[in-house]
Amino acid sequence: FVGNSTYLDDHGPPPQKVLPFPSQVVYNRVGKCGSRTVVLLLRILSEKHGFNLVTSDIHNKTRLTKNEQMELIKNISTAEQPYLFTRHVHFLNFSRFGGDQPVYINIIRDPVNRFLSNYFFRRFGDWRGEQNHMIRTPNMRQEERYLDINVCILENYPECSNPRLFYIIPYFCGQHPRCREPGEWALERAKLNVNENFLLVGILEELEDVLLLLERFLPHYFKDVLSIYKNPEHRKLGNLTVTVKKTVPSPEAIQVLYQRMRYEYEFYYYVKEQFHLLKRKFGLKSHIRKPSPKPEFFIPSPLETEEPINDEEGDDEKWLEDIYKR
């Protein structure tokens, strides 16, 4: 006699899934700051560790209306946890709309280098295919596609002047209209959000150290990330995303760009300083390079990690716990 009993009658409800903490992570990736390399890694890691990688097909809409913000936050918040959501989008304040604020991560790079990479990528794409750029910018006129970078900068074309050059800060400042205006207000708000809402903002020039810290802070997402990144097969895939036909502007043009991007540089140096403090906190240091006669942004400067150094500043685990509570 089987009767009408069910599994729940005999055994009770199944145990709830134990979620890692944090179980909600947002990577609002800044364009041309190594994000495609990181997303390639995340696809591998999500299968390896069983977290929900939530991506978006929208790549060119970073500024959202209030209704669009509410809809996106709702969609993200209802994703199966643990999740990592990634999209090119300016910072979203979940708590403003009654949601739980997720942990944010991001990576930035030297602003002039980022701009140059974007300038030539829009015109000529990368090694994934010669026609990649034609698909991305099909309506670009030939004279615009082959516009000399020095002419663009020195003759003040819109693409090479503000507000187009004010690009990195809005990703951290947020959706407020003033976040798109180059100035102190947006800069200070971006710094505040980095301190209060971002677990880690790394520097692309020191990507291996960024991955090491991500593995330390978020092991349920990033465990073994460095060994995957260093795998020759992955490196081969990563090399396909390198922008082609990139040239270096004249020193005069570089100096003009640097002046136009002074707020971007103030933010970049602030983040870089915070990142180096974080590295020291967790026993990482970089090789000291001899000073170069050329400006820093002419030369790629990946920094390697040495052996851990002694840290006398207290309990690392307690410090990390405090970060998670923000």
Side-chain angles (χ1 to χ4, degrees):
F1 177 70
V2 177
N4 296 320
S5 68
T6 66
Y7 178 88
L8 291 182
D9 291 331
D10 296 332
H11 301 277
Q16 283 191 327
K17 183 179 180 182
V18 178
L19 293 173
F21 184 81
S23 60
Q24 302 169 83
V25 178
V26 172
Y27 171 32
N28 65 321
R29 49 194 175 119
V30 181
K32 304 311 295 174
C33 290
S35 63
R36 282 179 296 152
T37 296
V38 176
V39 169
L40 280 174
L41 289 167
L42 285 170
R43 286 176 182 156
I44 298 169
L45 291 165
S46 64
E47 291 188 11
K48 183 179 177 69
H49 301 316
F51 64 85
N52 183 18
L53 178 62
V54 185
T55 59
S56 173
D57 294 328
I58 301 172
H59 302 292
N60 58 355
K61 191 171 179 59
T62 57
R63 307 165 185 174
L64 309 178
T65 65
K66 183 178 179 180
N67 286 337
E68 287 170 337
Q69 291 178 58
M70 291 174 64
E71 186 65 23
L72 181 56
I73 287 172
K74 179 183 174 183
N75 290 340
I76 297 171
S77 300
T78 54
E80 182 184 354
Q81 298 181 27
Y83 70 71
L84 190 151
F85 174 79
T86 178
R87 171 178 162 176
H88 295 299
V89 64
H90 295 169
F91 175 78
L92 292 162
N93 189 339
F94 282 58
S95 58
R96 180 187 173 202
F97 299 101
D100 294 330
Q101 191 72 358
V103 162
Y104 271 87
I105 58 173
N106 217 321
I107 300 172
I108 65 173
R109 72 191 288 191
D110 178 279
V112 165
N113 277 336
R114 195 220 67 83
F115 166 76
L116 294 176
S117 181
N118 186 63
Y119 183 89
F120 292 103
F121 177 70
R122 290 184 68 244
R123 285 160 171 76
F124 308 115
D126 54 33
W127 291 108
R128 290 177 298 174
E130 292 182 5
Q131 299 305 311
N132 181 273
H133 59 289
M134 298 298 292
I135 296 169
R136 187 171 293 273
T137 52
N139 298 320
M140 185 179 282
R141 301 188 307 275
Q142 286 298 92
E143 58 267 29
E144 183 183 358
R145 193 175 300 281
Y146 291 95
L147 175 65
D148 183 88
I149 184 69
N150 293 299
V151 172
C152 184
I153 297 167
L154 297 175
E155 297 188 12
N156 208 25
Y157 279 68
E159 186 177 357
C160 298
S161 59
N162 279 318
R164 297 276 188 91
L165 297 179
F166 193 69
Y167 183 87
I168 297 174
I169 286 174
Y171 275 87
F172 300 87
C173 178
Q175 297 289 336
H176 193 287
R178 289 186 69 183
C179 288
R180 304 192 290 272
E181 300 172 6
E184 291 289 337
W185 189 91
L187 170 64
E188 293 306 317
R189 183 160 172 159
K191 288 180 182 179
L192 184 66
N193 276 332
V194 166
N195 292 335
E196 293 187 349
N197 293 293
F198 283 80
L199 176 65
L200 176 69
V201 182
I203 300 296
L204 183 62
E205 293 84 355
E206 303 171 40
L207 181 57
E208 288 193 11
D209 287 347
V210 177
L211 298 178
L212 278 170
L213 287 177
L214 284 171
E215 183 170 2
R216 176 68 183 270
F217 295 172
L218 301 168
H220 43 288
Y221 294 97
F222 287 96
K223 183 174 170 55
D224 301 323
V225 64
L226 200 57
S227 60
I228 296 170
Y229 173 70
K230 289 183 173 182
N231 183 289
E233 289 303 311
H234 180 269
R235 283 294 178 97
K236 196 184 299 180
L237 281 175
N239 288 340
L240 294 177
T241 66
V242 174
T243 302
V244 299
K245 297 189 180 181
K246 188 158 51 173
T247 59
V248 176
S250 68
E252 180 188 5
I254 286 281
Q255 191 60 36
V256 169
L257 271 185
Y258 189 85
Q259 291 300 321
R260 289 176 184 170
M261 302 173 85
R262 62 188 181 277
Y263 293 113
E264 294 275 275
Y265 269 99
E266 186 172 340
F267 181 72
Y268 171 73
Y269 290 131
Y270 175 80
V271 168
K272 190 173 185 177
E273 180 182 19
Q274 297 302 308
F275 180 64
H276 285 172
L277 288 171
L278 202 56
K279 281 172 59 174
R280 182 169 183 85
K281 183 78 182 174
F282 284 90
L284 302 176
K285 66 177 181 177
S286 303
H287 289 293
I288 299 172
R289 297 166 57 91
K290 291 182 180 179
S292 168
K294 293 184 178 181
E296 180 183 354
F297 36 74
F298 275 132
I299 304 167
S301 55
L303 300 176
E304 299 173 9
T305 301
E306 291 184 343
E307 292 300 313
I309 55 176
N310 292 328
D311 180 17
E312 300 175 355
E313 298 180 28
D315 186 349
D316 288 348
E317 299 305 329
K318 176 65 168 59
W319 180 88
L320 184 57
E321 190 177 299
D322 291 340
I323 285 272
Y324 284 150
K325 289 177 181 175
R326 286 177 183 174

